[in-house]
Amino acid sequence: MQRHLISAADLTRDDAVLILDTAEEMARVADRPIKKLPTLRGRTVVNLFFEDSTRTRISFEAAEKRLSADVINFTAKGSSVSKGESLKDTAQTLEAMGVDAVVIRHSASGAPYRLATSGWIDAAVVNAGDGTHQHPTQALLDAFTMRRRLVGRDAGLGKDLDGRRITLVGDILHSRVARSNVDLLHTLGAEVTLVAPPTLLPVGVETWPCEVSYDLDSTLPKSDAVMLLRVQRERMNAAFFPTEREYSRRYGLDGDRMAKMPDHAIVMHPGPMVRGMEITAEVADSDRCTVVEQVTNGVSIRMAVLYLLLGGNEPAVSHARPTEEK
Amino acid sequence: MSKTLIRGAKVLGGEPQDVLIDGGVVEAVGRDLSAEGAEVVEADGKVLLPGLVDLHTHLREPGREDSETVLTGTRAAASGGYTNVFAMANTFPVADTAGVVEQVWRLGQESGYCDVQPIGAVTVGLEGAKLAELGAMHESAAGVTVFSDDGKCVHDAVIMRRALEYVKAFNGVVAQHAQEPRLTEGAQMNEGVVSAELGLGGWPAVAEESVIARDVLLAEHVGSRVHICHLSTAGSVEIVRWAKSRGIDVTAEVTPHHLLLTDELVRSYNPVYKVNPPLRTERDVMALREALADGTIDIVATDHAPHPHEDKDCEWAAAAMGMVGLETALSVVQETMVDTGLLDWAGVADRMSFKPAKIGQATGHGRPVSAGEPANLTLVDAAYRGQVDPAGFASRSRNTPYEGRELPGRVTHTWLRGKATLVDGKLT
Ligand SMILES: [Zn+2]
């Protein structure tokens, strides 16, 4: 593994499988009365959030605390792309405090990459979402969720997603989740199809390692998992599509559409869901929908990532197992 | 003023000759000229060019003297072999009145390193709504001949039409920064495969091309001439080529960086590569080189855009757009055009001195290297190769994309009306 986790594209197949396997180990911690490992005792992790995301921050924080790290939350609300609150200044302050890892969320694409490569700071950098670029731990938790559901919890250990067919639906253009998922799922051997109106697909998407379709109905019968992406309200006025109703009719997932999916197929969503438009309540509340599991799995994945970045390259099992048996 | 004999220089890259300068003019050009009473500059094998003319420079004064001043900018110009630069109007205050353009012009006169011709804004405050006092700026001491809202596009078709028509009265020219504003909202780099991967807002080629297409048609309709700033796409080249074939009076420029760099470099998220218009693809770069060689693109202009370190040492989205260019322009043109065989040195003189002076009506610059002409000259050691070291820049800003890159050629001497401003690579 590299020293930082900036992009899902940086992960090899073996890196990714190692993270998923390690996350399974970490998941067992969550099943115990005391959900804590001493692994990162004495290490300091900063959650540096230049953009609001309570969900992601809490997930990382839970992961850090379960690994016994000292946690500092730094929120620089509203200062994302304005001069004055410079990323560099903040980085140098954190460097002076001697932090071991920085989990960064930023509205500017590339900010975590700059942080990791500009020599401003020496800590390990974990990208918790940057602009419309990448959100690698989200892709990892999605892959983890798919592997558990489609391959099996224990049967999945050591395995990738070879041959599974995954469909991503919605605002691909503005989605760091979509970019990260396409990279990672391809690395793990899955066949990915993106479905969206042409206005919400990026120029150059034809060079991505995936299929592209404008037609949801024809892709559903051959999907093992369908992941719906959030369409942000502000896109509505920017002429990306005519009306919410038309979007919903063509790209929303309702019960009738879900019935076209194979029986074993799952429905995913990175949350928060806009019920009604992209997903109906019927689908969201069905047991095929993995939204709640995705949240739970997020903590395990983030524990695994922090453990592997800070605790060494060897599998977590060598450390985690003895602790577990105490 | 004392005499100077430049001995054995390849004038415009031709056979070695001697050039005698006396009293601010070229006294004689020939073989074995007498060195009597003259300071001798041994120029064995070096290339002598007419002093370079930059139709597109940002000197930042007044208002952003922390980036550049007229003095530091003209020193940078002399270092790069320039004897005349046109200063863009997007200063603070904007150069949209006779007062501001005269101030810039006087500062240029006082610097002594390089003549400065201010460019006047087309619209008040660069706001695109109301014509600035174009005539008053032309009649001022600065004698403005080129008008531009550069940094912004004159996007209102009626305002553009009126400006083109109005400057006909004094043979002025409107230099357009072609960028359709709606198509480039949130844009941060070239729209394409790389922007999609990096998650940076895309800047489509058509945003530039559609404005150029409109403006050449407007120029044709009103019978005026238009100059297109910093062409960056293959499609823009095609439109200008078509317009010229149709007899439309259009000229166009390309920057050195668009002749060399591509959007692949943005993968580093390093803001030194953030520039407007953005770095494009390899295909665009090749089309621009060809167009400069065949004359479709008339000139090279630096778009020298100095910014202080802190405006570039940050994340991509927060960084300022632009690169310094005066001190590396000739080297980049040598690398991309001369060393590739696309252009000889006479062609370089044409694209970097004769033609820009003609477009901007810089009388006294862009003249042949022959007896009786003003001694605005540049001596180039074309055999030199070395790494670019911004620490040695005369510009107040160091935002160069070439740091550490090996480039050919070095300007060793520059003369402004017979007076050396650069000697052995050092400013006087
Ligand atoms: Zn411009």
Side-chain angles (χ1 to χ4, degrees), chain A residues 1-2 4-17 19-20 112-113 125-130 132-143 168 175-189 192 208-209 301 305 309, chain B residues 197-198 269:
Chain A
M1 284 251 306
Q2 305 191 356
H4 310 287
L5 180 58
I6 307 298
S7 167
D10 298 338
L11 297 170
T12 63
R13 184 242 173 227
D14 289 349
D15 285 340
V17 171
I19 294 170
L20 301 186
Y113 184 86
V125 175
V126 180
N127 184 359
D130 62 328
T132 50
H133 177 221
Q134 281 276 334
H135 194 357
T137 58
Q138 176 73 44
L140 284 161
L141 77 86
D142 290 337
L168 274 63
S175 176
R176 53 192 169 210
V177 176
R179 279 169 178 72
S180 311
N181 265 292
V182 170
D183 288 336
L184 183 67
L185 293 172
H186 173 71
T187 300
L188 289 172
V192 182
W208 293 12
I301 278 291
V305 166
L309 288 181
Chain B
E197 190 179 312
L198 298 183
Y269 283 109

Side-chain angles (χ1 to χ4, degrees), chain B residues 182-363:
Chain B
R182 284 281 279 151
L183 286 174
T184 53
E185 274 170 19
Q188 302 202 49
M189 68 170 296
N190 180 47
E191 180 177 282
V193 172
V194 182
S195 68
E197 190 179 312
L198 298 183
L200 291 173
W203 197 307
V206 69
E208 174 174 313
E209 293 153 5
S210 58
V211 171
I212 298 174
R214 181 199 72 177
D215 286 354
V216 294
L217 291 172
L218 281 174
E220 177 180 52
H221 182 64
V222 302
S224 188
R225 66 188 179 113
V226 64
H227 176 77
I228 311 295
C229 294
H230 40 53
L231 253 63
S232 71
T233 78
S236 297
V237 166
E238 284 310 307
I239 294 161
V240 170
R241 189 171 281 140
W242 170 82
K244 285 187 167 180
S245 75
R246 202 171 148 98
I248 297 170
D249 200 352
V250 57
T251 54
E253 69 188 35
V254 64
T255 73
H257 48 271
H258 287 112
L259 291 172
L260 181 59
L261 309 175
T262 71
D263 65 353
E264 290 288 332
L265 292 162
V266 181
R267 289 183 192 281
S268 66
Y269 283 109
N270 187 340
V272 293
Y273 301 115
K274 188 173 173 184
V275 66
N276 176 352
L279 301 178
R280 305 286 189 182
T281 67
E282 185 74 16
R283 181 177 154 263
D284 295 305
V285 166
M286 291 306 155
L288 292 165
R289 288 184 189 182
E290 265 175 47
L292 183 64
D294 72 20
T296 302
I297 294 177
D298 301 83
I299 65 169
V300 174
T302 67
D303 196 4
H304 178 78
H307 291 293
H309 182 66
E310 58 271 24
D311 288 6
K312 286 289 195 180
D313 191 26
C314 53
E315 58 275 25
W316 180 274
M321 286 185 283
M323 326 172 153
V324 291
L326 286 168
E327 292 168 86
T328 47
L330 196 59
S331 290
V332 175
V333 170
Q334 183 181 336
E335 164 113 342
T336 57
M337 302 299 295
V338 180
D339 293 355
T340 53
L342 286 165
L343 216 55
D344 58 16
W345 285 106
V348 173
D350 183 65
R351 310 302 196 271
M352 297 184 76
S353 180
F354 299 143
K355 288 253 180 67
K358 185 159 177 272
I359 294 166
Q361 299 180 65
T363 50

Side-chain angles (χ1 to χ4, degrees), chain B residues 9 16 61 84 127 182 238 245 313 329 365 377 404 425-426:
Chain B
E61 190 176 7
N84 189 44
E127 282 171 1
R182 284 281 279 151
E238 284 310 307
S245 75
D313 191 26
H365 292 275
L377 300 166
K426 294 192 175 60

Side-chain angles (χ1 to χ4, degrees), chain A residues 55 208 234:
Chain A
R55 297 161 54 97
W208 293 12
E234 61 260 33

